Amino acid sequence: MLFSEVAESFAAIEATASRLEMSSQVAALLKKCKKDEIRPLIYIIEGNVAPSHEGLDIGIGEKFAIRAISQTSGHSEKAVLSEYKKSGDLGSAAENLLSKKSQMSLASSPNTLSRAYSSFVKIAQMSGTGSQESKISILSELLNGATPLEAKYLIRFCLGKLRLGVGDPSIIDALSMMKHEGKADSQIILRAFNLCSDLGEVAEHYIAGKDLSHFSTQPFKPIRPALAERLPNAEEITKKLGKCAVEAKYDGLRMQVHLSSGKVEIYSRKLEKMTHMFPEITSAASKLKAKSAIFEGEALAYNASEKKYYSFQQTIQRKRKYGIAGMARDFPLRLFVFDLMYLNGKDLTLSPYSSRRKTLEKVFANTEPLVPSELIYTDDPKKLDNYFTNLLGAGLEGIIAKDLSQPYVAGARKFAWIKLKKSYGALADTVDVVIIGYYLGKGQRQEFEFGGLLAAVLNEETGEFESIAKIGSGFSEDEMQSFEKMLDEIKVKEKPKGVNSKLTPDFWVKPAYVITVAADEITLSPMHTCGMVGDTGYALRFPRMMSLRDDKGSEEITTTKEIIEMFEMQKRRKE
Ligand code: ATP
């Protein structure tokens, strides 16, 4: 397929606000793909060269893209820059400048999807001295064979700013639509995706007609993490689960560890590789008496002489201060293993919790610093409550109750796990929001030019970010300064597509940074669009920033549905 066909389809996708219509455009494009074009197309739509756990970033800086556009269009770099300033989008600048070019270069032939993709991969794999020049020349070659519209998307993709607004759920719907005029296979496709986090691979299998219902986990294909639901108190938990496992909830860093034939990789909650940062965990995993395994746990720094754990925030701070080797020596980590999803070639995700846990305890007997999470089994709300209170006293965050009969529910928030955390005002939990804009400072804060944030949650049904709070407190002066810098880099001129807000901040930003916010309660408000019915939405009362969550992406934030549930729960929560 020609890349110009892809570009035309991208333009149509961009012009539609309907998610269904987007999916059907994607389905139509996938139908035109040859077998070996499916993966490249899926990754490109996702805005990547490969699934993010492979860590292959295209990484062309604006300066170099400007140079490539200048070389191809025959306009000076200054002219490219001034065209760029008009729209704030270098892709549109390339489109305009190339459309003024009288003739295509004689030597150039039109780009195919495969050629464009293999060029992207080459660019992403290059590093070291001189690599920027080679990247520019590969990009220039692509631009030489490109129509103006193609150039727009080539440039946006290479800058990591494709942003078609097509999320993974829409791609999954598109796949399902290809075979049925509905969403018949969505659940099966979603499960396969949850088990391998590679939509390109899943799409290729699905379109080739393979049976995805037998899809299983494989080492070095990270599993999308299981998530916990909330209930307001011990009574509701035991009523829902009956006898259950009540595990300590550690406030550390979630790790998914993969082991096969002595090789180890560690993935973050966002499923990015972070193996090199934790040599002590890697070395302990490689010594396990297992040929292959995939397990999950929460890591905390432990000070043996004081018998004291450090929280996630402290763990991260210490890493910055001491460096990786110093950190491993002075503040070794302990990984509290809470699930085992694969062992010696066997997928355990469909086994019930009780059986996975039994195996886990055998595998992790005497394997310090890998230790099973602490737990009790009970169906008695009083015992659960006592255990919860004791854990809070010991400085832990709460408990996670687990349904003994449930499989590992990859990538979903289900009642297989239920969390009960220490109180934040009347709220049962903190809320993870994405920053959609910011305000300039007034009065004392003026010198930092930063006056607060506009934040949103995700409405999973519409795919839109809905505003829920204006956050003006909880920041240290250092944080304000670094926010101003970080946000300035992702400023956009207009309200980004997919953002739903009645309020207009001083600056809109690309919804990228996730922060954890505590609040006194959830209230109804005419100002915010979260879960809006008529004129009234949900809002956070007295919101304050707790921390930046760089282990979460914008699609993993608190959803509108969860906010509504938390609002209902607030009424039932025992003080
Ligand atoms: P979520 O991960 O549910 O989106 P979150 O990242 O804000 O939310 P919490 O709501 O605090 O985190 O709780 C869930 C997290 O608790 C898990 O993602 C995991 O990192 C951590 N955790 C700590 N101890 C355990 C445990 N014993 N079992 C499962 N998860 C645990």
Side-chain angles (χ1 to χ4, degrees), residues 146-420:
T147 63
L149 189 68
E150 242 181 290
K152 172 174 170 177
Y153 292 107
L154 287 171
I155 290 294
R156 283 194 189 164
F157 182 82
C158 288
L159 293 173
K161 292 184 175 171
L162 187 65
R163 288 185 219 136
L164 289 178
V166 181
D168 289 334
S170 303
I171 302 178
I172 291 172
D173 286 346
L175 286 169
S176 177
M177 277 177 189
M178 288 174 73
K179 297 204 181 167
H180 312 272
E181 287 301 312
K183 291 190 180 179
D185 286 345
S186 291
Q187 286 310 313
I188 299 169
I189 302 170
L190 178 61
R191 178 168 184 275
F193 174 50
N194 283 335
L195 290 182
C196 72
S197 310
D198 183 344
L199 208 42
E201 177 178 339
V202 171
E204 203 175 84
H205 284 301
Y206 180 71
I207 295 172
K210 291 193 186 151
D211 181 5
L212 290 185
S213 52
H214 299 300
F215 202 88
S216 63
T217 53
Q218 309 153 53
F220 312 117
K221 291 270 174 188
I223 304 172
R224 297 180 75 220
L227 303 171
E229 267 290 357
R230 304 175 184 85
L231 281 176
N233 53 44
E235 286 79 20
E236 290 201 27
I237 292 177
T238 47
K239 200 167 150 214
K240 178 102 191 162
L241 299 182
K243 186 172 175 199
C244 56
V246 184
E247 295 194 18
K249 181 175 189 310
Y250 305 92
D251 182 15
L253 183 65
R254 187 170 185 161
M255 286 185 186
Q256 192 178 112
V257 186
H258 288 228
L259 160 76
S260 182
S261 311
K263 182 184 163 197
V264 175
E265 294 286 5
I266 304 175
Y267 300 94
S268 68
R269 190 187 179 289
K270 252 183 175 170
L271 307 181
E272 287 166 349
K273 265 186 216 167
M274 48 177 195
T275 319
H276 69 283
M277 284 157 63
F278 304 105
E280 67 275 48
I281 302 293
T282 310
S283 138
S286 66
K287 289 186 195 127
L288 283 176
K289 287 195 195 81
K291 274 208 189 82
S292 56
I294 303 177
F295 56 95
E296 240 185 351
E298 191 84 359
L300 289 176
Y302 182 62
N303 182 331
S305 60
E306 290 177 33
K307 292 207 168 83
K308 191 178 153 198
Y309 292 106
Y310 294 98
S311 71
F312 171 59
Q313 284 304 320
Q314 289 166 316
T315 306
I316 290 293
Q317 270 164 21
R318 266 160 216 285
K319 199 174 78 217
R320 284 195 197 115
K321 198 161 145 201
Y322 289 80
I324 290 167
M327 166 80 197
R329 185 189 59 236
D330 299 338
F331 300 94
L333 289 184
R334 193 169 267 196
L335 183 69
F336 292 94
V337 183
F338 56 72
D339 222 310
L340 177 64
M341 296 90 102
Y342 182 90
L343 185 67
N344 295 329
K346 205 170 157 230
D347 184 337
L348 304 182
T349 54
L350 290 176
S351 313
Y353 171 87
S354 52
S355 119
R356 298 198 309 278
R357 177 74 196 190
K358 220 160 138 194
T359 317
L360 182 157
E361 286 177 9
K362 276 190 210 142
V363 174
F364 296 96
N366 306 314
T367 53
E368 285 244 3
L370 312 177
V371 293
S373 54
E374 188 190 313
L375 58 68
I376 60 162
Y377 292 96
T378 188
D379 58 0
D380 177 354
K382 279 203 196 85
K383 277 198 186 139
L384 196 157
D385 221 19
N386 278 343
Y387 187 57
F388 174 70
T389 314
N390 287 343
L391 290 173
L392 293 194
L396 290 164
E397 245 199 326
I399 56 102
I400 302 208
K402 300 192 174 172
D403 187 327
L404 300 176
S405 64
Q406 285 295 314
Y408 183 88
V409 190
R413 197 176 294 283
K414 289 276 158 66
F415 282 99
W417 292 6
I418 304 174
K419 59 186 169 189
L420 184 62

